[in-house]
Amino acid sequence: MWQRLTMSVLAAVVFGAAVSLAIPLKASTTANRYSASSQSNHFGPLTLRSDGTFQISVLEDLHFGENAWDQWGPQQDINSVKVINKIFDKESPGLVVLNGDLITGENGFLENSTVYIDQIVGPLVSRNLTWASTYGNHDYDFNISGDAILERERNWRNSRTSPMISGSDAGVSNYYLPVYDHGCVNEHTCSPQLILWFFDSRGGFRYQQGTPESRVGQPNWVDRSVVDWFNSASRSLTKRYRKTIPSLGFVHIPPYASYALQDAGVDPNKEPGVNDDVPLAPQAQGWCPDGSNNGTCTYGGQDTEFMQAISHTEGFMALFSGHDHGDTWCYKWDRLLPGMDVTPANNVSLCFGQHTGYGGYGNWERGSRQVMVSKSGLAKFEADTWIRLESGNSVGRVSLNSTYGQDRYPRTNDSMTYCPTCEY
Ligand SMILES: *[C@@H]1O[C@H](CO)[C@@H](O)[C@H](O)[C@H]1NC(C)=O
Ligand SMILES: *[C@@H]1O[C@H](CO)[C@@H](O)[C@H](O)[C@H]1NC(C)=O
Ligand SMILES: *[C@@H]1O[C@H](CO)[C@@H](O)[C@H](O)[C@H]1NC(C)=O
Ligand SMILES: *[C@@H]1O[C@H](CO)[C@@H](O)[C@H](O)[C@H]1NC(C)=O
Ligand SMILES: *[C@@H]1O[C@H](CO)[C@@H](O)[C@H](O)[C@H]1NC(C)=O
Ligand SMILES: *[C@@H]1O[C@H](CO)[C@@H](O)[C@H](O)[C@H]1NC(C)=O
Ligand SMILES: *[C@@H]1O[C@H](CO)[C@@H](O)[C@H](O)[C@H]1NC(C)=O
């Protein structure tokens, strides 16, 4: 289901040039990339607003560069830029998260597969917004890699994507960003109010390995080395600041627990959202337990350590994923689920966002999940969230608090694409 289904139909659209107003800085070098994990950048550290709140807008599955060779493809990118602009006409976040599948990598040409980054970030740069990325399975292919995307996005000072671990099996977008209190100018003297964790669930294919006809698959789960890093980094943060710091996580492919929760039943009034991708595609789908993917296994269980880690880290409130374009709910993982052997010690909400791009499969109305925390809410490990749609409407507003999963909310309308010229 993560294959795009749109290839065959061509809309009668006006062909327009892709314009980016953003002006890149000098290119970063690959040599300093992993050492330059400057969490506070040109824009300074991330901080709460003066009223004690902090908002995040999640853009996911943008799928730029799809069908780059025909008229349909570039037109979808123009439509996606319009979606981004419409969202930020309504929302003013402190951070934008690009949560994977920025580009449809299998359609890319080696010489220019990452140029679409410029088009994606144009609306963010012109609004002086900063962003942080995770990379998705379509960001890894024969002609594109997480490293190449990182290099392109780091041409802008607005990018806070700053990998903290290296290794060919770790993926690229693994790091954390602290959010400090309002007024913090020097992060060395401030104590974080919130930690944002970014994980790379990899997948897709290895860059320039094998041949174009026979590409080499890359495992599609958060690697063990990343889990070890997360466990040790979160422990040292707790020790250093002598407190449990509330945290949120972002990863492109949802963990298997999302699959098990969906299987247990999504209640449209308790977990409001679209639930059309059934069953959803989780991490480690299609791989065998021994790490081979010869097409015979449906799920290999390799995300078990990751699920163990996030559900045993005190203060880890919620994990946000994309990947399954037709699922947009949040579900509190608060119990041992059938088919699993991880029992959460710390309840964690597993949330999908909303398909943002016009590339990629499905024509559910485009949009973006918003996450809002406040100082008073963080004291209780609570976050609020809703989805801002391209139409300007917001849907699925819920509070991820201690009674989430019992509280009743209005159902989310399963609305389809808003753009009348984008039907396909
Ligand atoms: C952009 O944002 C930064 C940090 O929030 C601020 O220091 C700067 O003045 C802003 N620039 C513009 C042009 O608004
Ligand atoms: C990769 O890029 C090369 C060079 O532009 C192109 O010939 C090829 O079709 C692209 N795709 C694959 C899968 O190799
Ligand atoms: C990328 O390269 C291909 C093949 O060289 C070319 O046809 C295409 O126009 C280029 N796309 C962009 C956006 O520069
Ligand atoms: C695929 O791999 C699994 C696990 O190693 C193995 O049990 C199975 O026999 C393999 N199937 C084929 C067709 O190679
Ligand atoms: C997790 O949620 C369950 C049921 O929703 C509740 O009984 C339990 O106390 C919660 N655990 C924690 C650690 O909050
Ligand atoms: C959680 O939030 C919902 C919606 O705002 C509210 O109705 C409910 O009372 C809250 N639960 C707690 C324990 O505050
Ligand atoms: C729900 O979506 C349909 C189109 O998919 C639209 O006609 C209808 O007005 C929507 N209802 C609400 C309450 O938004």
mmCIF file with all atom_site columns, all heavy atoms in Angstrom, residues 229-242:
data_model
loop_
_atom_site.group_PDB
_atom_site.id
_atom_site.type_symbol
_atom_site.label_atom_id
_atom_site.label_alt_id
_atom_site.label_comp_id
_atom_site.label_asym_id
_atom_site.label_entity_id
_atom_site.label_seq_id
_atom_site.pdbx_PDB_ins_code
_atom_site.Cartn_x
_atom_site.Cartn_y
_atom_site.Cartn_z
_atom_site.occupancy
_atom_site.B_iso_or_equiv
_atom_site.pdbx_formal_charge
_atom_site.auth_seq_id
_atom_site.auth_comp_id
_atom_site.auth_asym_id
_atom_site.auth_atom_id
_atom_site.pdbx_PDB_model_num
ATOM 1   N N   . TRP A 1 229 ? 21.228 4.422  21.366 1.00 0.00 ? 229 TRP A N   1
ATOM 2   C CA  . TRP A 1 229 ? 21.548 5.848  21.506 1.00 0.00 ? 229 TRP A CA  1
ATOM 3   C C   . TRP A 1 229 ? 20.428 6.592  22.221 1.00 0.00 ? 229 TRP A C   1
ATOM 4   O O   . TRP A 1 229 ? 20.662 7.388  23.138 1.00 0.00 ? 229 TRP A O   1
ATOM 5   C CB  . TRP A 1 229 ? 21.793 6.445  20.109 1.00 0.00 ? 229 TRP A CB  1
ATOM 6   C CG  . TRP A 1 229 ? 21.676 7.936  20.081 1.00 0.00 ? 229 TRP A CG  1
ATOM 7   C CD1 . TRP A 1 229 ? 22.614 8.843  20.471 1.00 0.00 ? 229 TRP A CD1 1
ATOM 8   C CD2 . TRP A 1 229 ? 20.533 8.692  19.658 1.00 0.00 ? 229 TRP A CD2 1
ATOM 9   N NE1 . TRP A 1 229 ? 22.125 10.123 20.316 1.00 0.00 ? 229 TRP A NE1 1
ATOM 10  C CE2 . TRP A 1 229 ? 20.857 10.048 19.824 1.00 0.00 ? 229 TRP A CE2 1
ATOM 11  C CE3 . TRP A 1 229 ? 19.273 8.348  19.156 1.00 0.00 ? 229 TRP A CE3 1
ATOM 12  C CZ2 . TRP A 1 229 ? 19.956 11.074 19.505 1.00 0.00 ? 229 TRP A CZ2 1
ATOM 13  C CZ3 . TRP A 1 229 ? 18.378 9.357  18.841 1.00 0.00 ? 229 TRP A CZ3 1
ATOM 14  C CH2 . TRP A 1 229 ? 18.725 10.704 19.016 1.00 0.00 ? 229 TRP A CH2 1
ATOM 15  N N   . PHE A 1 230 ? 19.181 6.336  21.832 1.00 0.00 ? 230 PHE A N   1
ATOM 16  C CA  . PHE A 1 230 ? 18.030 6.997  22.460 1.00 0.00 ? 230 PHE A CA  1
ATOM 17  C C   . PHE A 1 230 ? 17.974 6.693  23.958 1.00 0.00 ? 230 PHE A C   1
ATOM 18  O O   . PHE A 1 230 ? 17.828 7.594  24.784 1.00 0.00 ? 230 PHE A O   1
ATOM 19  C CB  . PHE A 1 230 ? 16.731 6.552  21.779 1.00 0.00 ? 230 PHE A CB  1
ATOM 20  C CG  . PHE A 1 230 ? 15.486 6.904  22.555 1.00 0.00 ? 230 PHE A CG  1
ATOM 21  C CD1 . PHE A 1 230 ? 15.049 8.215  22.625 1.00 0.00 ? 230 PHE A CD1 1
ATOM 22  C CD2 . PHE A 1 230 ? 14.771 5.918  23.222 1.00 0.00 ? 230 PHE A CD2 1
ATOM 23  C CE1 . PHE A 1 230 ? 13.904 8.547  23.354 1.00 0.00 ? 230 PHE A CE1 1
ATOM 24  C CE2 . PHE A 1 230 ? 13.629 6.243  23.955 1.00 0.00 ? 230 PHE A CE2 1
ATOM 25  C CZ  . PHE A 1 230 ? 13.197 7.556  24.019 1.00 0.00 ? 230 PHE A CZ  1
ATOM 26  N N   . ASN A 1 231 ? 18.125 5.418  24.298 1.00 0.00 ? 231 ASN A N   1
ATOM 27  C CA  . ASN A 1 231 ? 18.055 5.039  25.716 1.00 0.00 ? 231 ASN A CA  1
ATOM 28  C C   . ASN A 1 231 ? 19.129 5.748  26.523 1.00 0.00 ? 231 ASN A C   1
ATOM 29  O O   . ASN A 1 231 ? 18.864 6.285  27.594 1.00 0.00 ? 231 ASN A O   1
ATOM 30  C CB  . ASN A 1 231 ? 18.202 3.516  25.861 1.00 0.00 ? 231 ASN A CB  1
ATOM 31  C CG  . ASN A 1 231 ? 16.908 2.781  25.528 1.00 0.00 ? 231 ASN A CG  1
ATOM 32  O OD1 . ASN A 1 231 ? 15.817 3.323  25.706 1.00 0.00 ? 231 ASN A OD1 1
ATOM 33  N ND2 . ASN A 1 231 ? 17.031 1.562  25.033 1.00 0.00 ? 231 ASN A ND2 1
ATOM 34  N N   . SER A 1 232 ? 20.336 5.782  25.974 1.00 0.00 ? 232 SER A N   1
ATOM 35  C CA  . SER A 1 232 ? 21.406 6.377  26.760 1.00 0.00 ? 232 SER A CA  1
ATOM 36  C C   . SER A 1 232 ? 21.307 7.904  26.754 1.00 0.00 ? 232 SER A C   1
ATOM 37  O O   . SER A 1 232 ? 21.521 8.545  27.781 1.00 0.00 ? 232 SER A O   1
ATOM 38  C CB  . SER A 1 232 ? 22.756 5.817  26.293 1.00 0.00 ? 232 SER A CB  1
ATOM 39  O OG  . SER A 1 232 ? 23.482 6.762  25.581 1.00 0.00 ? 232 SER A OG  1
ATOM 40  N N   . ALA A 1 233 ? 20.911 8.489  25.647 1.00 0.00 ? 233 ALA A N   1
ATOM 41  C CA  . ALA A 1 233 ? 20.784 9.957  25.605 1.00 0.00 ? 233 ALA A CA  1
ATOM 42  C C   . ALA A 1 233 ? 19.643 10.427 26.503 1.00 0.00 ? 233 ALA A C   1
ATOM 43  O O   . ALA A 1 233 ? 19.770 11.449 27.189 1.00 0.00 ? 233 ALA A O   1
ATOM 44  C CB  . ALA A 1 233 ? 20.564 10.427 24.175 1.00 0.00 ? 233 ALA A CB  1
ATOM 45  N N   . SER A 1 234 ? 18.536 9.702  26.524 1.00 0.00 ? 234 SER A N   1
ATOM 46  C CA  . SER A 1 234 ? 17.424 10.164 27.368 1.00 0.00 ? 234 SER A CA  1
ATOM 47  C C   . SER A 1 234 ? 17.762 9.982  28.849 1.00 0.00 ? 234 SER A C   1
ATOM 48  O O   . SER A 1 234 ? 17.417 10.827 29.673 1.00 0.00 ? 234 SER A O   1
ATOM 49  C CB  . SER A 1 234 ? 16.099 9.504  26.983 1.00 0.00 ? 234 SER A CB  1
ATOM 50  O OG  . SER A 1 234 ? 16.097 8.153  27.274 1.00 0.00 ? 234 SER A OG  1
ATOM 51  N N   . ARG A 1 235 ? 18.510 8.911  29.155 1.00 0.00 ? 235 ARG A N   1
ATOM 52  C CA  . ARG A 1 235 ? 18.944 8.744  30.548 1.00 0.00 ? 235 ARG A CA  1
ATOM 53  C C   . ARG A 1 235 ? 19.875 9.875  30.975 1.00 0.00 ? 235 ARG A C   1
ATOM 54  O O   . ARG A 1 235 ? 19.758 10.415 32.071 1.00 0.00 ? 235 ARG A O   1
ATOM 55  C CB  . ARG A 1 235 ? 19.648 7.392  30.738 1.00 0.00 ? 235 ARG A CB  1
ATOM 56  C CG  . ARG A 1 235 ? 18.707 6.266  31.160 1.00 0.00 ? 235 ARG A CG  1
ATOM 57  C CD  . ARG A 1 235 ? 19.461 5.057  31.696 1.00 0.00 ? 235 ARG A CD  1
ATOM 58  N NE  . ARG A 1 235 ? 20.432 4.520  30.737 1.00 0.00 ? 235 ARG A NE  1
ATOM 59  C CZ  . ARG A 1 235 ? 20.138 3.549  29.850 1.00 0.00 ? 235 ARG A CZ  1
ATOM 60  N NH1 . ARG A 1 235 ? 18.934 3.019  29.809 1.00 0.00 ? 235 ARG A NH1 1
ATOM 61  N NH2 . ARG A 1 235 ? 21.068 3.111  29.011 1.00 0.00 ? 235 ARG A NH2 1
ATOM 62  N N   . SER A 1 236 ? 20.806 10.246 30.086 1.00 0.00 ? 236 SER A N   1
ATOM 63  C CA  . SER A 1 236 ? 21.728 11.310 30.517 1.00 0.00 ? 236 SER A CA  1
ATOM 64  C C   . SER A 1 236 ? 21.045 12.673 30.617 1.00 0.00 ? 236 SER A C   1
ATOM 65  O O   . SER A 1 236 ? 21.441 13.489 31.441 1.00 0.00 ? 236 SER A O   1
ATOM 66  C CB  . SER A 1 236 ? 23.014 11.381 29.689 1.00 0.00 ? 236 SER A CB  1
ATOM 67  O OG  . SER A 1 236 ? 22.810 11.007 28.392 1.00 0.00 ? 236 SER A OG  1
ATOM 68  N N   . LEU A 1 237 ? 20.009 12.900 29.801 1.00 0.00 ? 237 LEU A N   1
ATOM 69  C CA  . LEU A 1 237 ? 19.266 14.156 29.951 1.00 0.00 ? 237 LEU A CA  1
ATOM 70  C C   . LEU A 1 237 ? 18.561 14.205 31.313 1.00 0.00 ? 237 LEU A C   1
ATOM 71  O O   . LEU A 1 237 ? 18.565 15.226 31.997 1.00 0.00 ? 237 LEU A O   1
ATOM 72  C CB  . LEU A 1 237 ? 18.237 14.293 28.818 1.00 0.00 ? 237 LEU A CB  1
ATOM 73  C CG  . LEU A 1 237 ? 18.803 14.674 27.445 1.00 0.00 ? 237 LEU A CG  1
ATOM 74  C CD1 . LEU A 1 237 ? 17.776 14.425 26.346 1.00 0.00 ? 237 LEU A CD1 1
ATOM 75  C CD2 . LEU A 1 237 ? 19.248 16.136 27.433 1.00 0.00 ? 237 LEU A CD2 1
ATOM 76  N N   . THR A 1 238 ? 17.961 13.070 31.699 1.00 0.00 ? 238 THR A N   1
ATOM 77  C CA  . THR A 1 238 ? 17.282 13.003 33.002 1.00 0.00 ? 238 THR A CA  1
ATOM 78  C C   . THR A 1 238 ? 18.260 13.264 34.142 1.00 0.00 ? 238 THR A C   1
ATOM 79  O O   . THR A 1 238 ? 17.977 13.991 35.080 1.00 0.00 ? 238 THR A O   1
ATOM 80  C CB  . THR A 1 238 ? 16.637 11.607 33.193 1.00 0.00 ? 238 THR A CB  1
ATOM 81  O OG1 . THR A 1 238 ? 15.802 11.340 32.062 1.00 0.00 ? 238 THR A OG1 1
ATOM 82  C CG2 . THR A 1 238 ? 15.807 11.538 34.459 1.00 0.00 ? 238 THR A CG2 1
ATOM 83  N N   . LYS A 1 239 ? 19.442 12.672 33.992 1.00 0.00 ? 239 LYS A N   1
ATOM 84  C CA  . LYS A 1 239 ? 20.458 12.804 35.033 1.00 0.00 ? 239 LYS A CA  1
ATOM 85  C C   . LYS A 1 239 ? 20.993 14.241 35.092 1.00 0.00 ? 239 LYS A C   1
ATOM 86  O O   . LYS A 1 239 ? 21.085 14.847 36.155 1.00 0.00 ? 239 LYS A O   1
ATOM 87  C CB  . LYS A 1 239 ? 21.601 11.831 34.717 1.00 0.00 ? 239 LYS A CB  1
ATOM 88  C CG  . LYS A 1 239 ? 22.389 11.393 35.915 1.00 0.00 ? 239 LYS A CG  1
ATOM 89  C CD  . LYS A 1 239 ? 23.350 10.266 35.538 1.00 0.00 ? 239 LYS A CD  1
ATOM 90  C CE  . LYS A 1 239 ? 24.543 10.297 36.489 1.00 0.00 ? 239 LYS A CE  1
ATOM 91  N NZ  . LYS A 1 239 ? 25.685 9.588  35.923 1.00 0.00 ? 239 LYS A NZ  1
ATOM 92  N N   . ARG A 1 240 ? 21.276 14.764 33.920 1.00 0.00 ? 240 ARG A N   1
ATOM 93  C CA  . ARG A 1 240 ? 21.876 16.097 33.869 1.00 0.00 ? 240 ARG A CA  1
ATOM 94  C C   . ARG A 1 240 ? 20.947 17.177 34.429 1.00 0.00 ? 240 ARG A C   1
ATOM 95  O O   . ARG A 1 240 ? 21.363 18.080 35.132 1.00 0.00 ? 240 ARG A O   1
ATOM 96  C CB  . ARG A 1 240 ? 22.237 16.417 32.415 1.00 0.00 ? 240 ARG A CB  1
ATOM 97  C CG  . ARG A 1 240 ? 22.761 17.818 32.224 1.00 0.00 ? 240 ARG A CG  1
ATOM 98  C CD  . ARG A 1 240 ? 23.344 18.003 30.833 1.00 0.00 ? 240 ARG A CD  1
ATOM 99  N NE  . ARG A 1 240 ? 23.626 19.407 30.591 1.00 0.00 ? 240 ARG A NE  1
ATOM 100 C CZ  . ARG A 1 240 ? 23.787 19.942 29.399 1.00 0.00 ? 240 ARG A CZ  1
ATOM 101 N NH1 . ARG A 1 240 ? 23.706 19.171 28.327 1.00 0.00 ? 240 ARG A NH1 1
ATOM 102 N NH2 . ARG A 1 240 ? 24.040 21.222 29.265 1.00 0.00 ? 240 ARG A NH2 1
ATOM 103 N N   . TYR A 1 241 ? 19.652 17.069 34.081 1.00 0.00 ? 241 TYR A N   1
ATOM 104 C CA  . TYR A 1 241 ? 18.716 18.118 34.511 1.00 0.00 ? 241 TYR A CA  1
ATOM 105 C C   . TYR A 1 241 ? 17.930 17.713 35.761 1.00 0.00 ? 241 TYR A C   1
ATOM 106 O O   . TYR A 1 241 ? 17.073 18.443 36.228 1.00 0.00 ? 241 TYR A O   1
ATOM 107 C CB  . TYR A 1 241 ? 17.787 18.493 33.354 1.00 0.00 ? 241 TYR A CB  1
ATOM 108 C CG  . TYR A 1 241 ? 18.545 19.130 32.206 1.00 0.00 ? 241 TYR A CG  1
ATOM 109 C CD1 . TYR A 1 241 ? 18.834 18.417 31.041 1.00 0.00 ? 241 TYR A CD1 1
ATOM 110 C CD2 . TYR A 1 241 ? 19.014 20.437 32.318 1.00 0.00 ? 241 TYR A CD2 1
ATOM 111 C CE1 . TYR A 1 241 ? 19.556 19.004 30.009 1.00 0.00 ? 241 TYR A CE1 1
ATOM 112 C CE2 . TYR A 1 241 ? 19.738 21.025 31.290 1.00 0.00 ? 241 TYR A CE2 1
ATOM 113 C CZ  . TYR A 1 241 ? 19.997 20.303 30.137 1.00 0.00 ? 241 TYR A CZ  1
ATOM 114 O OH  . TYR A 1 241 ? 20.710 20.873 29.126 1.00 0.00 ? 241 TYR A OH  1
ATOM 115 N N   . ARG A 1 242 ? 18.199 16.539 36.261 1.00 0.00 ? 242 ARG A N   1
ATOM 116 C CA  . ARG A 1 242 ? 17.578 16.024 37.490 1.00 0.00 ? 242 ARG A CA  1
ATOM 117 C C   . ARG A 1 242 ? 16.062 16.125 37.459 1.00 0.00 ? 242 ARG A C   1
ATOM 118 O O   . ARG A 1 242 ? 15.417 16.512 38.426 1.00 0.00 ? 242 ARG A O   1
ATOM 119 C CB  . ARG A 1 242 ? 18.119 16.779 38.723 1.00 0.00 ? 242 ARG A CB  1
ATOM 120 C CG  . ARG A 1 242 ? 19.618 16.578 38.913 1.00 0.00 ? 242 ARG A CG  1
ATOM 121 C CD  . ARG A 1 242 ? 20.043 17.015 40.303 1.00 0.00 ? 242 ARG A CD  1
ATOM 122 N NE  . ARG A 1 242 ? 21.493 17.052 40.418 1.00 0.00 ? 242 ARG A NE  1
ATOM 123 C CZ  . ARG A 1 242 ? 22.233 18.103 40.057 1.00 0.00 ? 242 ARG A CZ  1
ATOM 124 N NH1 . ARG A 1 242 ? 21.678 19.196 39.573 1.00 0.00 ? 242 ARG A NH1 1
ATOM 125 N NH2 . ARG A 1 242 ? 23.545 18.056 40.178 1.00 0.00 ? 242 ARG A NH2 1
#
